[in-house]
Amino acid sequence: MRILVVGGGGREHALCWAIAASPLCTKLYCAPGNAGIATVAECIEVPAEDVAGQVALAVNKQIDFVVVGPEVPLAAGLADRLAEAGIRVFGPSAKAAMLESSKGFTKDLCKRHGIPTAAYERFTDADKAAQYIRAKGAPIVVKADGLAAGKGVVVAESVDQAVEAARDMLSGNRFGAAGASVVVEEFLVGEEASFFALCDGEHALPLIGAQDHKRAFDGDKGPNTGGMGAYSPAPVFDLATQQHTMETIIQPTVRAMAAAGTPFRGVLYAGLMITREGPKLFEYNCRFGDPECQVLMMRLKSDLLPALLASAEGGLAHFDLRWSTDTALTVVMAAKGYPDAYKKGSEIRGLEAAAEVEGVQIFHAGTKSDGKRVLANGGRVLSVTAMAPTVEQARERAYRAVDLIDWPDGFCRRDIAWRAVGRTP
Ligand code: AMP
Ligand code: GLY
């Protein structure tokens, strides 16, 4: 099969790495890809968001199967356009991608189907939002309805901060149309986990859980980012919690989407709060998490490609995937300044030595090659990933590799998996 992976981050490097290992794959392209992806796939300079460009590329290269990494092209209808062109695709239609592209859509679906989630209201009027916030009190959470690259959520400690956030979003200044409507919801107390399930429109196949670190600095301090590190398994997300999540959250969602005539095909990524009353959904994404995908691909022992194909074509009902019981852990190395302004173009050295550490795979998140040199080309730049029998060993290996990387312009957190270290599952 001739395969095209859309995207160019650490998630897409991990997907390409897994797909390249499949005996079914005869030729692998990635667009736009990056310097690391170029070692396993032929990279082509088409931006992930360029829907028409990606479709044209798939047609020109006679692609049999397209795997879409990020949410933006999915929300813009890339899967629909590929289907119209007769090309098989992993990833949901634009209508099904609304589970990610509209938080209000998902909240209303949860309410209609009794799926556990935080209590909420939707607003387009700032004064009405303010009234609700004052009535509920703080802490309280304000979310822009649409896609905002992970920046559209304000967990407000005070009523004033929440009112201000809602006004800011609804003014259209900060998020444009994505903020034209907001969700105001109850603050959930618990531990967060990410859980993934492959869906074929009718059936859902559980993958595994992981835990992400969204804040930029150690001790979960600093601004929210796309994710500074992840690990799997996460002790908080045990098998019983997984089964409960499948029954009360994932399966009802898949049934509801099918009944609405917008079946969900692709990977459903549930952002969960594990509360005292059990898991509650705080968001859906319609794609793999980054950097969670990197740890998932490390633990996956089966061939990924047939599973992605079954998601696209149906047939997940009797599918089975095997996972390593080892822990996989990834440390993201980001450009200094990320998630705010940062520089591009500095050289990264020592990657070969780092990749030789036992159990380590280095996924590139934002790099480009310049002859033999590898240059930083994004906010999140590397995802240094390690596997080992225990979380402590995986962490030691990952940081040993990080310390062999010579990149003065970068930084990383030193405490990835702090919740799991020393805790018996
Ligand atoms: P989201 O973009 O929905 O993933 O939210 C970003 C972050 O905000 C999450 O990772 C949580 O840490 C936090 N968050 C979102 N919703 C809630 C909630 N209802 N209660 C507490 N924290 C939340
Ligand atoms: N790791 C968070 C995300 O992919 O949205």
Side-chain angles (χ1 to χ4, degrees), residues 70-359:
E71 66 278 14
V72 170
L74 291 168
L78 178 55
D80 307 80
R81 299 295 87 75
L82 286 164
E84 285 158 15
I87 299 171
R88 282 177 287 178
V89 55
F90 174 76
S93 67
K95 281 188 175 148
M98 278 184 74
L99 285 173
E100 174 162 4
S101 66
S102 170
K103 292 195 187 283
F105 171 86
T106 295
K107 297 296 294 190
D108 290 352
L109 181 137
C110 288
K111 189 185 269 178
R112 280 199 308 275
H113 297 275
I115 296 169
T117 186
Y120 74 104
E121 276 307 324
R122 300 175 70 176
F123 298 97
T124 51
D125 180 284
D127 292 329
K128 290 200 176 117
Q131 219 174 5
Y132 180 79
I133 291 165
R134 291 210 173 84
K136 292 286 169 184
I140 193 160
V141 183
V142 183
K143 302 183 172 185
D145 185 74
L147 294 182
K151 300 199 172 91
V153 174
V154 174
V155 179
E157 317 258 332
S158 70
V159 163
D160 287 347
Q161 190 195 353
V163 169
E164 177 61 33
R167 281 196 198 290
D168 190 31
M169 288 176 193
L170 289 169
S171 72
N173 296 335
R174 229 155 94 65
F175 301 108
S181 157
V182 299
V183 169
V184 180
E185 71 178 28
E186 168 200 11
F187 175 77
L188 294 174
V189 179
E191 195 173 322
E192 276 179 47
S194 305
F195 175 59
F196 301 85
L198 284 183
C199 306
D200 65 7
E202 241 184 291
H203 302 282
L205 173 72
L207 302 182
I208 51 176
Q211 217 161 22
D212 180 18
H213 295 262
K214 289 221 170 82
R215 302 293 197 99
F217 309 128
D218 285 13
D220 292 331
K221 302 235 161 51
N224 255 317
T225 71
M228 293 299 291
Y231 60 102
S232 172
V236 71
F237 198 76
D238 57 19
L239 197 59
T241 310
Q242 174 170 317
Q243 277 160 359
H244 194 73
T245 304
M246 284 301 293
E247 279 159 26
T248 61
I249 298 178
I250 303 289
Q251 277 154 358
T253 302
V254 171
R255 282 196 297 270
M257 293 299 283
T262 53
F264 187 89
R265 297 189 185 92
V267 61
L268 201 50
Y269 158 0
L272 301 170
M273 193 69 84
I274 314 303
T275 71
R276 283 164 59 178
E277 296 111 63
K280 291 192 182 179
L281 183 78
F282 61 74
E283 68 161 357
Y284 269 136
N285 297 305
C286 64
R287 38 122 190 133
F288 282 108
D290 187 344
E292 291 98 322
C293 186
Q294 290 86 309
V295 293
L296 261 59
M297 292 305 114
M298 290 286 272
R299 288 190 60 206
L300 180 63
K301 296 213 275 193
S302 309
D303 188 348
L304 174 69
L305 197 46
L308 300 184
L309 277 164
S311 160
E313 299 184 310
L316 280 177
H318 305 290
F319 217 89
D320 196 24
L321 288 173
R322 285 167 48 246
W323 300 92
S324 169
T325 53
D326 284 2
T327 294
L329 180 149
T330 190
V331 179
V332 169
M333 297 182 77
K336 280 180 186 160
Y338 173 80
D340 300 317
Y342 55 83
K343 283 193 310 215
K344 288 184 180 179
S346 55
E347 186 177 355
I348 303 162
R349 296 193 189 82
L351 287 168
E352 278 145 33
E356 273 166 29
V357 175
E358 190 184 356

Side-chain angles (χ1 to χ4, degrees), residues 9-11 13 34-36 227-229 290-291 294 330-335 347-351 354 361-368 374-385 401-402 404-407 410-412:
R11 165 181 53 210
H13 190 180
N34 64 40
M228 293 299 291
D290 187 344
Q294 290 86 309
T330 190
V331 179
V332 169
M333 297 182 77
E347 186 177 355
I348 303 162
R349 296 193 189 82
L351 287 168
Q361 282 295 330
I362 299 176
F363 296 115
H364 290 218
T367 62
K368 74 172 192 205
V374 173
L375 307 180
N377 192 39
R380 291 187 295 173
V381 171
L382 297 170
S383 175
V384 180
T385 313
V402 163
L404 288 167
I405 294 172
D406 175 13
W407 180 39
F411 78 100
C412 67

